[in-house]
């Protein structure tokens, strides 16, 4: 039942990222920096943290491919690969570190920066972008990471409760 909620949440975020969220970002910000909300990535990282790395990998690959196909990518695969890998790596901390808000936000920050760096690196490798790494880091990667961290902080409690209820439902003995 709870996995159904993950599909619904990620589908809604997929639609929102490509439609409404682009208009909600103030145009003043877009003139100096490029802010890209990657709220699906935040949820995939939470899946890696609180469910397991394989589930995060699959959700990242599926919804990243949909994002590649529908919105962003000049080629198929970079966003899917980066989102799946970031979710998988976030899942490596599952049950290894004491999970609190500080650890979660650190994983969110590093996961977002890793995702941005992988996408930038693949675009640079295949010459679909010609931006300097220094400019891209300070004008694209860092502002996007900060916006995504704000979203991660806002949804921390509801998402953690959802995943704890998933864990409790799966570990409850069947009667």
């Amino acid at each position: 039942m709870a996995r159904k909620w993950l599909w619904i949440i990620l589908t809604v975020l997929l639609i929102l990222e490509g439609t409404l969220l682009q208009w909600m970002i103030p145009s003043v910000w877009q003139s100096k920096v490029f802010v890209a909300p990657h709220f699906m990535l935040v949820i995939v990282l939470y899946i890696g943290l609180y469910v397991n790395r394989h589930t995060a990998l699959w959700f990242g690959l599926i919804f990243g491919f949909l994002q590649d196909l529908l919105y962003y990518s000049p080629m198929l695969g970079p966003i899917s690969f980066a989102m799946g890998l970031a979710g998988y790596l976030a899942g490596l901390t599952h049950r290894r570190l004491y999970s609190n808000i500080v650890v979660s936000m650190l994983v969110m920050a590093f996961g977002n920066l890793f995702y941005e760096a992988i996408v930038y690196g693949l675009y640079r490798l295949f010459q679909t972008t010609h931006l300097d790494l220094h400019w891209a880091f300070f004008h694209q990667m860092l502002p996007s990471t900060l916006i995504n961290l704000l979203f991660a902080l806002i949804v921390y409690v509801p998402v953690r409760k959802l995943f704890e209820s998933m864990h409790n439902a799966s570990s409850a003995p069947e009667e």
Side-chain angles (χ1 to χ4, degrees):
M1 179 67 173
R3 295 218 186 224
K4 181 176 100 173
W5 280 108
L6 291 178
W7 285 99
I8 292 170
I9 290 168
L10 286 170
T11 302
V12 167
L13 287 175
L14 175 70
I15 294 167
L16 287 178
E17 276 186 26
T19 56
L20 296 177
L21 292 178
Q22 301 299 324
W23 291 340
M24 294 177 75
I25 297 171
S27 60
V28 174
W29 291 4
Q30 297 292 359
S31 65
K32 296 180 181 169
V33 295
F34 179 73
V35 178
H38 301 299
F39 297 160
M40 281 190 328
L41 174 66
V42 169
I43 301 300
V44 167
L45 292 172
Y46 274 133
I47 291 170
L49 273 173
Y50 294 113
V51 180
N52 67 43
R53 64 183 184 253
H54 302 290
T55 306
L57 173 69
W58 283 110
F59 274 111
L61 288 174
I62 291 167
F63 282 95
F65 182 73
L66 287 173
Q67 204 168 23
D68 272 333
L69 200 61
L70 296 175
Y71 299 126
Y72 294 110
S73 188
M75 56 187 174
L76 291 178
I79 293 175
S80 177
F81 172 72
M83 194 178 296
L85 187 59
Y88 185 84
L89 292 177
L92 291 177
T93 63
H94 177 66
R95 309 261 189 250
R96 286 179 177 77
L97 297 173
Y98 176 72
S99 182
N100 61 20
I101 194 165
V102 174
V103 171
S104 296
M105 292 306 117
L106 283 172
V107 169
M108 293 297 135
F110 288 125
N112 272 288
L113 283 173
F114 179 75
Y115 167 83
E116 294 279 347
I118 290 291
V119 171
Y120 172 80
L122 288 172
Y123 284 170
R124 187 69 187 233
L125 177 68
F126 292 106
Q127 299 177 355
T128 58
T129 187
H130 300 288
L131 298 174
D132 180 42
L133 177 62
H134 182 267
W135 189 93
F137 180 78
F138 285 108
H139 292 91
Q140 287 181 343
M141 294 179 195
L142 201 56
S144 295
T145 299
L146 293 175
I147 291 297
N148 293 322
L149 269 177
L150 179 64
F151 175 74
L153 191 59
I154 290 169
V155 300
Y156 175 75
V157 172
V159 167
R160 184 163 179 168
K161 285 184 181 183
L162 173 70
F163 292 138
E164 285 175 354
S165 70
M166 282 177 58
H167 181 68
N168 291 339
S170 67
S171 65
E174 296 196 20
E175 299 178 26

